[in-house]
């Protein structure tokens, strides 16, 4: 068997071909194996099963990786969409601040205030001259009033003198003429003073009227100034509010700008996850490997039925399904050749044909009903049961190698299927003893139905598993 490992690619090389998607290497290996007549057909079958297992395991690993990439890409796209929506929301809030509008409002209010300030200053410059005029007229009134007081005192004195004079007239008739002259003079003086007083009173009245007009004008100017001041105060309040709003909006705008920058940085962090090219390459590699499986499976089936069917197996294609027809009288010999044991009635009928279909535990029809085998999670580089002695090949973690049978370490058995799960079968033999049969990526199963069923008879070949039960290399199920 060591010569086999030197002529054909090793297990490590097969796994590398599968991992690299090197379908050309597999095609070449198939040709080399088919052309080497020195290798027994049973050994070829086991080797090809291991080759097919490497391809299936690689497909499952890469499919899982592709699903993970899809999940990562979808998650990144969803996160980018969410972040872009958040940026749009923050930008809407930022636009809603209306900074240009607030700045325009501030500028408009400032431009409106300046004319008011100019008009207030212009009105205020008119008040001092008028106040000075009032002060001047007030001083003139004081002067005229003092003059009137002096004249009134003079009148009082003259009236006293007049009274004395009248008395003198009564007493001194002889001095009548002088007294009458004096009377005339005094009356003339009084009349003059009264005329001055009348003139001064008229002037005072005119001045008071002018003062009243000036005061009314001052009051009007003051009212205008007060009204302008109130309007200016309102504008000043509005200006301060606008400046406050502008300051608050500027702070918010800076905060929104920082938030948008953070969100864009988070989007940039998501961009490396959008590995569409890697995903497309991975899917292409998976498609290439999947395209290789039918060729490998066909090569295995040819070798398998040639080796164990002794040329008595007919191939029929129904749609996309290949059916291998074994005549009833030849089926027992086929089972004995393939599994090394005789299966007796009532398990085996000798009439009618057995129409066998190859069942793939990794196919959609199997996984839809039973789920993925646990080995579909990947094959690592751990030790496992069924390693070929001296081959240097080891089964993956959770999986096993079908090359263990080459060193004579395989066993076989038969029974009735009592249970089917994602990982294999529960089979009860004729003595009532149950066995758990685990499928792997290199397992070859065939059944008279598209999927095995509980109650079918089954014969299998495999090796004891370290977890109990058996790792099956091949199995045949029939009704």
């Amino acid at each position: 068997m060591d010569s086999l490992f030197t002529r054909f690619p090793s297990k490590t090389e097969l796994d590398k071909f599968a991992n690299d998607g090197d379908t050309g290497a597999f095609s070449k290996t198939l040709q080399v194996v088919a052309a080497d007549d020195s290798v027994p057909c049973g050994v070829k079958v086991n080797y090809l099963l291991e080759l097919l297992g490497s391809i299936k395991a690689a497909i499952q690993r890469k499919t899982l990786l592709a699903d993970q990439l899809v999940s990562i890409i979808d998650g990144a796209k969803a996160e980018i969409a969410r972040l872009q929506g958040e940026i749009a929301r923050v930008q809407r809030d930022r636009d809603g601040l209306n900074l240009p509008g607030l700045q325009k409002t501030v500028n408009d209010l400032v431009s409106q205030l300046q004319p008011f300030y100019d008009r207030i200053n212009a009105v205020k410059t008119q008040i001092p001259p008028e106040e000075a005029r009032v002060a001047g007229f007030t001083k003139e009134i004081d002067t005229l009033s003092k003059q009137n007081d002096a004249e009134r005192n003079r009148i009082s004195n003259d009236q006293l003198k007049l009274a004395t004079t009248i008395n003198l007239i009564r007493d001194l008739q002889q001095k009548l003429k002088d007294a009458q002259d004096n009377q005339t003079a005094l009356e003339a003086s009084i009349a003059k003073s009264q005329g001055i007083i009348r003139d001064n009173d008229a002037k005072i009245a005119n001045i008071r009227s002018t003062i009243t007009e000036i005061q009314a004008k001052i009051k009007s100017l003051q009212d205008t100034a007060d009204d302008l001041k109130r309007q200016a105060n309102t504008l000043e309040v509005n200006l301060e509010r606008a400046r406050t709003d502008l300051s608050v909006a500027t702070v918010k705008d800076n905060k929104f700008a920082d938030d948008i920058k953070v969100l864009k940085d988070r989007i940039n962090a998501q961009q490396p996850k959008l590995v569409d090219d890697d995903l497309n390459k991975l899917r292409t590699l998976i498609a290439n490997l999947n395209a290789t499986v039918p060729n490998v499976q066909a090569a295995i089936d040819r070798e398998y039925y040639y080796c164990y069917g002794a040329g008595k197996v007919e191939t029929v294609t129904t749609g996309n399904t290949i059916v291998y027809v074994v005549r009833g009288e030849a089926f027992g010999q086929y089972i004995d050749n393939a599994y090394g044991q005789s299966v007796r009635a009532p398990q085996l009928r000798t009439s009618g044909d057995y129409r066998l279909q190859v069942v793939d535990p990794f196919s959609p029809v199997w996984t839809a009903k039973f789920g993925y085998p646990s080995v579909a999670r990947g094959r690592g580089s751990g030790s496992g049961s069924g390693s070929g002695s001296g081959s240097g090949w080891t089964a993956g973690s959770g999986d096993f190698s079908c090359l263990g049978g080459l060193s004579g370490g395989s066993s076989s058995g038969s029974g009735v299927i009592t249970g089917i799960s994602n990982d294999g079968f529960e089979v009860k033999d004729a003595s009532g003893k149950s066995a758990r049969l685990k499928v792997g990526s290199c397992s070859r199963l065939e059944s008279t139905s598209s999927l095995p069923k509980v109650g079918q008879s089954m014969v299998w070949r495999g090796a004891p598993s370290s977890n109990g039960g058996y790792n099956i290399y091949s199995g045949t199920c029939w009704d």
Side-chain angles (χ1 to χ4, degrees):
M1 188 174 69
D2 290 340
S3 61
L4 170 66
F5 303 134
T6 58
R7 291 200 300 273
F8 299 161
S10 67
K11 178 67 169 68
T12 302
E13 290 174 318
L14 292 178
D15 287 341
K16 185 178 185 303
F17 294 158
N19 191 60
D20 295 342
D22 191 350
T23 56
F26 284 123
S27 298
K28 182 178 180 181
T29 300
L30 287 176
Q31 294 172 1
V32 171
V33 172
D36 195 334
D37 295 332
S38 65
V39 179
C41 61
V43 174
K44 285 186 179 182
V45 168
N46 279 61
Y47 181 83
L48 292 175
L49 285 174
E50 191 63 33
L51 184 152
L52 181 61
S54 294
I55 295 174
K56 289 181 179 178
I59 290 173
Q60 296 307 316
R61 286 197 307 274
K62 294 183 183 301
T63 300
L64 177 61
L65 179 57
D67 292 343
Q68 290 172 340
L69 282 176
V70 169
S71 178
I72 291 171
I73 291 172
D74 290 345
K77 287 180 178 177
E79 181 64 8
I80 287 173
R82 187 190 70 78
L83 291 172
Q84 288 175 336
E86 188 68 12
I87 288 175
R89 182 192 65 76
V90 174
Q91 189 61 53
R92 287 195 298 273
D93 291 343
R94 189 182 184 188
D95 295 340
L97 295 174
N98 192 24
L99 281 179
L102 292 174
Q103 186 64 59
K104 183 177 182 302
T105 299
V106 170
N107 295 337
D108 290 345
L109 290 171
V110 170
S111 64
Q112 292 177 40
L113 272 173
Q114 191 58 47
F116 279 99
Y117 291 148
D118 295 341
R119 291 172 62 187
I120 289 171
N121 292 333
V123 170
K124 285 183 177 180
T125 57
Q126 299 178 43
I127 293 175
E130 298 299 331
E131 289 178 338
R133 290 181 63 196
V134 170
F137 282 124
T138 301
K139 186 177 291 186
E140 186 175 349
I141 288 173
D142 290 341
T143 301
L144 293 174
S145 295
K146 288 179 181 179
Q147 185 177 1
N148 284 346
D149 290 341
E151 294 300 327
R152 286 189 182 92
N153 289 333
R154 185 176 292 108
I155 289 172
S156 296
N157 291 332
D158 287 344
Q159 286 176 340
L160 289 174
K161 290 178 181 181
L162 178 60
T164 302
T165 301
I166 290 172
N167 291 330
L168 286 175
I169 290 172
R170 288 192 191 102
D171 294 337
L172 303 171
Q173 288 295 325
Q174 66 277 11
K175 296 180 179 179
L176 177 60
K177 185 178 183 307
D178 292 336
Q180 288 176 340
D181 292 338
N182 191 27
Q183 177 183 2
T184 300
L186 290 173
E187 287 177 347
S189 178
I190 291 172
K192 182 181 179 182
S193 295
Q194 287 177 336
I196 292 172
I197 289 173
R198 282 194 300 274
D199 291 341
N200 287 340
D201 284 340
K203 291 179 180 178
I204 288 172
N206 290 333
I207 291 171
R208 290 187 187 278
S209 176
T210 302
I211 288 175
T212 300
E213 292 175 357
I214 293 173
Q215 287 177 334
K217 184 177 180 181
I218 291 173
K219 184 176 184 305
S220 176
L221 290 171
Q222 191 64 55
D223 290 343
T224 300
D226 291 343
D227 183 61
L228 291 172
K229 183 62 177 175
R230 283 193 297 273
Q231 294 182 52
N233 288 341
T234 300
L235 286 174
E236 287 171 352
V237 170
N238 292 338
L239 176 60
E240 289 306 314
R241 288 177 179 172
R243 283 173 173 165
T244 300
D245 292 341
L246 178 60
S247 177
V248 171
T250 300
V251 172
K252 288 183 178 179
D253 182 70
N254 292 335
K255 172 66 168 55
F256 288 150
D258 291 340
D259 289 346
I260 289 174
K261 182 178 181 301
V262 170
L263 292 170
K264 287 182 176 179
D265 289 343
R266 291 171 64 184
I267 286 178
N268 292 334
Q270 294 293 324
Q271 292 295 339
K273 298 179 182 179
L274 302 179
V275 287
D276 291 323
D277 290 343
D278 292 345
L279 179 60
N280 291 334
K281 291 177 182 177
L282 191 58
R283 284 175 169 167
T284 300
L285 191 149
I286 292 171
N288 291 338
L289 289 174
N290 276 319
T292 304
V293 170
N295 294 332
V296 177
Q297 187 67 59
I300 292 173
D301 294 342
R302 282 195 302 272
E303 291 290 343
Y304 193 87
Y305 290 115
Y306 172 79
C307 185
Y308 302 122
K312 297 179 181 179
V313 178
E314 179 185 355
T315 301
V316 178
T317 301
T318 305
N320 293 327
T321 303
I322 298 176
V323 178
Y324 297 96
V325 181
V326 183
R327 298 191 180 280
E329 63 272 15
F331 190 69
Q333 185 61 46
Y334 163 69
I335 293 297
D336 188 50
N337 293 341
Y339 297 99
Q341 78 173 51
S342 297
V343 181
R344 297 181 177 83
Q347 291 176 295
L348 186 62
R349 55 181 170 80
T350 57
S351 62
D353 295 335
Y354 288 81
R355 301 172 64 86
L356 300 174
Q357 300 178 43
V358 175
V359 179
D360 183 2
F362 296 93
S363 65
V365 65
W366 177 285
T367 57
K369 185 172 181 62
F370 304 120
Y372 277 100
S374 58
V375 298
R377 289 190 290 271
R379 297 170 66 152
S381 57
S383 61
S385 62
S387 297
S389 174
S391 68
W393 296 1
T394 57
S397 175
D399 202 357
F400 54 86
S401 171
C402 290
L403 294 174
L406 299 180
S407 59
S410 64
S411 57
S412 58
S414 64
V416 176
I417 299 174
T418 58
I420 305 174
S421 67
N422 62 318
D423 278 337
F425 305 87
E426 289 285 340
V427 176
K428 183 180 291 187
D429 63 17
S431 65
K433 183 179 179 181
S434 293
R436 184 170 58 196
L437 310 179
K438 182 178 180 180
V439 296
S441 59
C442 64
S443 300
R444 183 187 186 279
L445 301 175
E446 57 186 10
S447 173
T448 54
S449 53
S450 59
L451 283 176
K453 299 180 292 186
V454 172
Q456 281 185 318
S457 298
M458 180 175 183
V459 61
W460 52 269
R461 182 171 60 86
S465 170
S466 59
N467 295 324
Y470 295 87
N471 299 324
I472 59 173
Y473 305 149
S474 60
T476 300
C477 311
W478 69 90
D479 296 310

